[in-house]
Amino acid sequence: MTGQASIIDGDTLEIHGTRIRLWGIDAPESSQLCRGEDSEQYRCGAQAANELDAFIARRPVSCIPISLDRYSRIVATCTVGGADLGQWLVRNGLALDWPQYSKTKYAADQRDAEQSGRGIWKGSYVEPWLYRVCIRTNGSPAMCSDDANAHP
């Protein structure tokens, strides 16, 4: 599947009306907050989506479907200009390698982002999968974004 992509959030896009979830990664949710190096909260989920949109820059996106998720979205690896979007997001600290699905494909890129202090690695964050659990149990974005076990 190839075409012009609309960005839904940091790990989901839409091509020709079809929702596509990027395989092997998890980006902060649109409502999620992270803390920057100044300890101030910022919208890290919105930042991931905005930076992905800027990186794609209206170029055609090509996706290779892998499976369907529980929301019936296509899960795929997608590229633009030869660059794997999942890898680009993780390498820039805008998403996390999701080893449950990726089998650590992007682990080295994540270590590089962490060691270089890029994106969410500049401050602290809650893993997006834990943020979603907190929201589902009636938490607020501000409460669910701060956690005693936040990273680093």
Side-chain angles (χ1 to χ4, degrees):
M1 177 180 284
T2 300
Q4 179 99 33
S6 299
I7 305 306
I8 305 303
D9 64 22
D11 53 30
T12 307
L13 41 93
E14 191 172 283
I15 298 175
H16 304 303
T18 300
R19 289 265 168 122
I20 300 166
R21 174 73 158 83
L22 295 175
W23 174 86
I25 67 162
D26 202 8
E29 295 297 313
S30 296
S31 60
Q32 191 170 344
L33 304 170
C34 294
R35 290 198 180 269
E37 56 194 329
D38 59 3
S39 295
E40 294 295 318
Q41 288 187 323
Y42 71 98
R43 296 187 59 211
C44 52
Q47 180 182 16
N50 290 339
E51 290 197 29
L52 178 61
D53 190 46
F55 177 70
I56 290 172
R58 304 188 63 78
R59 294 179 290 170
V61 175
S62 297
C63 298
I64 300 169
I66 294 172
S67 63
L68 289 177
D69 70 8
R70 64 182 175 179
Y71 304 108
S72 297
R73 292 178 297 191
I74 292 172
V75 178
T77 56
C78 298
T79 59
V80 67
D84 176 329
L85 294 180
Q87 182 180 37
W88 183 85
L89 285 159
V90 172
R91 187 182 300 139
N92 285 286
L94 301 169
L96 297 174
D97 176 56
W98 201 352
Q100 175 181 348
Y101 298 102
S102 72
K103 308 297 183 235
T104 69
K105 176 177 169 69
Y106 303 119
D109 298 295
Q110 182 167 301
R111 276 191 303 278
D112 182 58
E114 181 179 11
Q115 290 167 353
S116 301
R118 288 191 294 272
I120 61 175
W121 298 103
K122 288 180 184 172
S124 64
Y125 65 90
V126 173
E127 286 89 346
W129 51 89
L130 297 178
Y131 175 83
R132 287 190 296 274
V133 168
C134 180
I135 292 293
R136 280 196 297 270
T137 57
N138 295 317
S140 69
M143 182 189 79
C144 293
S145 294
D146 274 325
D147 180 48
N149 300 316
H151 296 274

